[in-house]
Amino acid sequence: MARRKKIYEGKAKILYEGPEPGTLVQYFKDDATAFNAEKRATIEGKGVLNNRLSEFFMTGLSNIGVPNHFIKRLNMREQLIRQVEIIPLEVIVRNFAAGSMAKRLGLEEGTPLPRPIVEFSYKDDALGDPLVPEEYIIAFGWASQQDMDDIVALALRVNDFLTGVMFGVGIKLVDFKIEIGRIWDNDYMRLIVADEISPDSCRLWDIETGQKLDKDVFRRDLGNLTDAYTEVARRLGVLPSNVTHAAKPHVIN
Ligand code: TMP
């Protein structure tokens, strides 16, 4: 049987050629990395959960008119998506100080921010995805001023949507990362949300207890990552019926 063509392999996902031009198949791996891949593990069930959770969030965004790459889920680990030209930025939205911002500014994690803050990292693993000001982005031509205005507007709509959805199930959205892609309809270019939205790319804290339900569980060795993601999926009502129990992480380096 002919093997389909691999277009790209990242740390947590693989992209294959899709069945029609302009489409790709996005495969969610069980691999987890942190600190620019210095820490790695294979965490059984993570890919299945992230495939479902990203489907859930992207479908919700479509329903409120936020354009994104998701077309349909194909199976446990794969979804059909629109092929985009990824803008080489990590678009990060923060509602509360945590992670690198808390460290950089000496803020206690969980400190509420005066308003949602949008920041950008240049996507380059060799450089460790450095934080970049908007002026760099425009000067180096990664995106135009109009693109940046559209990206901030998209990111804030995603933030309002995700904040509300998570609040509804007792979870605080501390921060998250999205990626944005360009698509063309003839000569007309549009920006859409791409990549994934999952607990790999968000900080999610239980509102009552503060318990972390995101990739920080892996980054900081706080317990079983699949259990945390399963809890998020369970609360949102998107738990696949055959993922009921987490396996132990298998450390591969
Ligand atoms: P940070 O506080 O480490 O800068 O992370 C901010 C948010 O971005 C957090 O929700 C985790 C997410 N993130 C990614 O999705 N990928 C990454 O490579 C990094 C560093 C963070």
Side-chain angles (χ1 to χ4, degrees), residues 17-177:
E17 198 170 62
E20 285 160 39
T23 67
L24 295 174
V25 173
Q26 177 163 258
Y27 175 97
F28 288 78
K29 299 194 272 187
D30 279 343
D31 298 351
T33 65
F35 315 116
N36 206 10
E38 270 174 39
K39 178 171 179 167
R40 294 164 177 271
T42 301
I43 295 169
E44 209 176 306
K46 181 174 85 82
V48 173
L49 286 157
N50 281 353
N51 186 27
R52 289 279 182 158
L53 285 162
S54 203
E55 172 190 18
F56 176 80
F57 294 125
M58 295 292 186
T59 305
L61 287 173
S62 295
N63 287 339
I64 61 159
V66 177
N68 66 79
H69 73 168
F70 183 81
I71 301 172
K72 67 173 182 181
R73 191 170 55 79
L74 297 171
N75 55 49
M76 296 279 282
R77 288 184 182 273
E78 294 178 328
Q79 48 184 244
L80 187 66
I81 58 169
R82 289 193 68 165
Q83 184 164 26
V84 301
E85 184 185 303
I86 285 283
I87 295 180
L89 297 174
E90 303 211 324
V91 179
I92 295 160
V93 183
R94 301 180 187 274
N95 299 305
F96 298 85
S100 65
M101 173 191 250
K103 202 169 168 193
R104 187 177 309 112
L105 302 181
L107 293 169
E108 191 180 336
E109 289 207 305
T111 307
L113 299 174
R115 62 183 178 92
I117 292 178
V118 185
E119 66 182 42
F120 308 97
S121 295
Y122 178 52
K123 256 176 83 71
D124 184 323
D125 281 343
L127 299 174
D129 298 340
L131 190 67
V132 285
E134 196 170 292
E135 198 174 355
Y136 285 25
I137 296 166
I138 293 162
F140 289 115
W142 303 325
S144 68
Q145 182 66 64
Q146 179 64 56
D147 292 338
M148 294 311 289
D149 295 347
D150 292 347
I151 289 170
V152 169
L154 271 176
L156 292 175
R157 289 182 77 191
V158 174
N159 186 43
D160 285 346
F161 169 75
L162 287 180
T163 297
V165 168
M166 299 316 299
F167 180 76
V169 296
I171 294 174
K172 180 167 20 188
L173 178 69
V174 174
D175 57 30
F176 66 93
K177 184 267 297 189

